[in-house]
Amino acid sequence: MTDKTIGVVGAGIVGLATAREITLRRPGTRVVVFDKEQDVAHHQTGHNSGVVHAGIYYTPGSLKANLTVRGVGLLREYCQEHQLPYREIGKLVMAVREDELDRMNGLYERARNNHVPELRKVSREEIAELEPQAGGIAALHSPRTAITDYPAIARAFARDVERSGGEVRLGFRVTGITETVGGIEVASAQERVSVDRLVLCAGLHSDSVARLARGGPEPRIVPFRGEYMLLRPERADLVRGLIYPVPDPRYPFLGVHFTPRVDGSVEVGPNAVLALAREGYTRARVSPKDLAGLAAYPGVWRMAAKHWRTGIKEYKGSFSTAAFMKDAKQYVPGVGVDDVVRGGAGVRAQALDRDGTLVDDFRLHRAGRITAVRNAPSPAATASLAIAEHIVDAVFDEG
């Protein structure tokens, strides 16, 4: 059977990359992207720090690892072709204590298995050559790690969709998804649109949109706000490239790090605090509905029981610049509270299982004509073009 129209819910970078991939894979198929906002890349994509990850952290053989390694190459080519920013400024994953060295060495082996290009171990002396202000005792150096502008890439994807005859329907809040005899009806408060297949890439709302399509209740999305400091412009030369800590494998978050942006600014952060609304970009934003949903889910309480100490520490950094910068100073000792100002924040859609496990890998569910992306964590932006290939493979898999 020929699909005349395919719908995609979500105009973030994954949804738009998927829509674009459909137009490439199935010329002549009409693609319609639905999003409740008035612009594309409004949420996670638009609050992204802009890092193009090389694949250092991810479990070899996982979807994260495979899609990131492929996605980097596709993204680099796309940026070059469309004259979008792509700067390989390099990254140091830096140990600042002796007890981190074993984890750093394990990370090196993992990255080698993921074929991260040109990665090497560097000594304290070599760190000083690469980052004169850094304070590590050893590090991994990834010279091909890059920075880019993901909102600009998302806008380019949207233009690709429209040039291929597709449509990006902004201001379309999906309130209903109904399977009919001939396809699927996607409804807002004002209108209904019929499609033959539907892909859900709803990010922060991926679980609630999946429930509209009678999908399973799990995993649930728990919003974590990541808050940033900005180096004052006159102090932006404190760092040359990306400086990251050796991650703690118990958590999906990478910890406070230094991130130069393509606009010349330098972010410090983020922390990771439980947001009180799915779109809780500020502490003042509270959604009683979202809070009630969190409180009713057993996984939230089980997660809290495991990680409450870390949660308290992260909240201290949210309210105190000195506490926030305490970790940062381990990596760049010369930076202090007077060198930074409060920056922006993003909200991460963290998927959570009922047993309190933070879901780390991509999750994709398909039921008939509906394919739902239930978890697309970082590095989803880096891997977006490869994720799109994977999603479209699943959409049209008739096996």
Side-chain angles (χ1 to χ4, degrees):
M1 185 184 70
T2 301
D3 298 307
K4 295 181 180 179
T5 303
I6 297 177
V8 177
V9 177
I13 197 166
V14 172
L16 291 167
T18 300
R20 174 184 175 273
E21 180 67 18
I22 294 169
T23 68
L24 295 174
R25 196 88 64 94
R26 296 289 180 103
T29 300
R30 180 169 175 260
V31 179
V32 183
V33 180
F34 305 97
D35 198 286
K36 67 184 178 68
E37 305 296 348
Q38 296 298 327
D39 52 4
V40 304
H42 191 82
H43 290 293
Q44 292 185 104
T45 306
H47 294 81
N48 193 292
S49 62
V51 178
V52 183
H53 292 281
I56 294 172
Y57 308 103
Y58 317 122
T59 303
S62 66
L63 272 177
K64 259 192 179 185
N66 295 339
L67 296 179
T68 300
V69 171
R70 174 159 176 74
V72 169
L74 294 173
L75 192 71
R76 184 190 306 113
E77 292 175 8
Y78 187 87
C79 289
Q80 291 171 347
E81 180 182 345
H82 291 80
Q83 298 182 321
L84 293 165
Y86 191 97
R87 294 173 49 206
E88 291 182 342
I89 63 172
K91 174 197 284 187
L92 285 176
V93 181
M94 199 158 60
V96 295
R97 301 187 309 272
E98 293 287 339
D99 62 5
E100 293 180 319
L101 293 177
D102 284 346
R103 275 193 281 140
M104 190 195 80
N105 290 330
L107 198 62
Y108 175 73
E109 294 304 322
R110 172 175 287 197
R112 286 185 63 191
N113 288 331
N114 288 338
H115 308 290
V116 174
E118 301 176 33
L119 185 76
R120 65 190 181 98
K121 297 180 183 180
V122 295
S123 65
R124 187 195 301 265
E125 292 72 26
E126 290 170 301
I127 290 173
E129 294 175 6
L130 293 164
E131 291 284 356
Q133 302 300 321
I137 60 174
L140 305 181
H141 182 225
S142 172
R144 301 294 295 277
T145 297
I147 55 174
T148 188
D149 183 340
Y150 286 117
I153 292 170
R155 292 191 292 270
F157 288 169
R159 290 193 293 270
D160 291 342
V161 171
E162 292 171 336
R163 287 167 183 160
S164 298
E167 187 178 1
V168 179
R169 298 285 300 275
L170 300 174
F172 191 109
R173 182 185 293 270
V174 175
T175 58
I177 297 172
T178 306
E179 292 198 61
T180 63
V181 174
I184 301 159
E185 191 174 77
V186 183
S188 72
Q190 290 78 34
E191 60 182 311
R192 298 174 182 270
V193 178
S194 294
V195 300
D196 297 294
R197 296 181 192 256
L198 186 64
V199 184
L200 309 179
C201 300
L204 287 164
H205 300 276
S206 59
D207 54 350
S208 56
V209 172
R211 287 198 295 274
L212 289 177
R214 298 187 178 181
E218 297 170 13
R220 293 284 291 274
I221 294 300
V222 176
F224 279 89
R225 184 172 62 254
E227 300 161 329
Y228 289 90
M229 298 288 178
L230 284 174
L231 287 183
R232 295 184 183 276
E234 64 271 20
R235 299 292 278 166
D237 60 356
L238 279 171
V239 298
R240 297 173 176 176
L242 299 149
I243 300 177
Y244 276 58
V246 176
D248 187 329
R250 294 174 296 174
Y251 308 110
F253 309 108
L254 293 175
V256 169
H257 44 271
F258 290 79
T259 307
R261 303 293 303 268
V262 293
D263 64 4
S265 63
V266 178
E267 289 181 333
V268 186
N271 58 2
V273 298
L274 185 67
L276 304 182
R278 286 182 188 250
E279 298 172 14
Y281 296 105
T282 66
R283 292 195 295 267
R285 179 72 185 273
V286 178
S287 165
K289 178 182 177 182
D290 292 344
L291 277 178
L294 290 174
Y297 187 54
V300 171
W301 297 103
R302 291 168 181 152
M303 175 191 68
K306 294 177 186 177
H307 304 306
W308 64 270
R309 289 182 179 86
T310 300
I312 290 173
K313 177 177 177 290
E314 295 293 308
Y315 269 108
K316 286 181 180 177
S318 180
F319 287 91
S320 165
T321 301
F324 190 105
M325 295 303 295
K326 183 178 178 181
D327 284 343
K329 283 179 69 66
Q330 296 181 79
Y331 302 94
V332 181
V335 70
V337 294
D338 294 333
D339 298 315
V340 296
V341 295
R342 288 274 173 180
V347 180
R348 172 177 176 148
Q350 175 61 55
L352 183 70
D353 278 331
R354 180 170 285 267
D355 65 359
T357 300
L358 299 164
V359 181
D360 184 56
D361 208 354
F362 300 119
R363 281 198 189 173
L364 189 69
H365 293 172
R366 180 183 166 192
R369 296 173 172 272
I370 299 175
T371 303
V373 179
R374 297 301 299 264
N375 191 45
S378 177
T382 296
S384 56
L385 289 169
I387 296 171
E389 293 177 337
H390 180 73
I391 292 170
V392 175
D393 286 343
V395 168
F396 295 113
D397 181 8
E398 303 296 344

